[in-house]
Structures are given as C-alpha cells and as structure tokens.
Amino acid sequence: MKLLVCCLLAITCCVLANVDKVKRTMKLTEVLKELRELNKSVAHNGMMLNTPTLDIEECCFLSALECFRKMVPSLKAKQKKLQRKVIKNLSPLTFGGVDSCSREERENKVCQGCDSYPMKDSREFVKKLESLLQKAMTRLV
C-alpha cells in the first residue's frame, strides 16, 4: 500500500514538472509568434541597435534578454500595442528555468553590458532576438 502511494506521488510530481515545461514552451511559442508579427510592422530603415550575440556565456541569458527588452521600444513599429505586449512578454518571469544557473550564480556572474554589444540594424536585431528565443525553447525541451 505504501509503495503504491509513493509511486502515485512520484508520477504526480513528474506530471506537474512537465506541465510547467509545457506552459513555458507554449509561452515561448506565443512570444515568437508575436515577435514575427511585430517584425512585419517594423519600418526597417537602417536603425542601429545594440544587439546581444548568440554566444552568450552561461548564466548571462537573462541579462542578454533584458538588453533585447530594453531595445525593442526603439523599433519603429506601426503596431504599438503589439510592441508593448512583446516587451511585457520578454520579462525574466517568462524565462525562468531556461538556464541552469542558480540565482546566486547569476548575481555573481559579470555579464556584458547592453552598451558593449555590437550595433546591428533593426532586421538583424529582430533576427538575433528570434534566434535567442528559439535557443531558449531548445533548453526547455
């Protein structure tokens, strides 16, 4: 009887852990879809933005994401409501659990500052952000 209860508890825990991953994956998919939609409404006129590279050091994912988040308002988008939604959805709360670092490790890690990333045009900026989000999805799976 105790063994059965322990097995059921273990199965429940596994299922609940997977539900969290599924929710995060669905949220990332939603953010990617919104970003692609926003990209269609951006007037890519050669505007240059600080763009994090994809070879981000361990424990610096959220820092790079925050840099992207700070730059998104600079995009000349026609759909301002969608732009605000993308900014909101790029919050660190959406991406918790994407890296394997503890809070303490992230706080002790010295990550590259937003201003130190290379300037890229708005098309390249959106492309790099999309790639970073896709990379985040593969880390969840």
Side-chain angles (χ1 to χ4, degrees), residues 50-94:
N50 292 96
T51 306
T53 56
L54 295 180
D55 59 340
I56 298 163
E57 292 183 48
E58 191 64 33
C59 302
C60 289
F61 175 82
L62 293 178
S63 173
L65 185 69
E66 186 59 28
C67 289
F68 275 113
R69 186 173 185 240
K70 287 179 182 175
M71 293 281 116
V72 169
S74 302
L75 294 172
K76 302 291 186 217
K78 293 174 191 140
Q79 294 186 31
K80 296 296 182 187
K81 186 176 180 182
L82 182 58
Q83 188 173 21
R84 286 189 299 273
K85 190 173 182 184
V86 168
I87 293 164
K88 179 183 171 229
N89 286 334
L90 288 176
S91 78
L93 294 175
T94 305

Side-chain angles (χ1 to χ4, degrees), residues 7 56 106:
C7 288
I56 298 163
R106 266 188 237 104

Side-chain angles (χ1 to χ4, degrees), residues 11 48 81 108 120 136:
I11 291 170
M48 303 297 280
K81 186 176 180 182
N108 292 331
K120 302 284 183 181

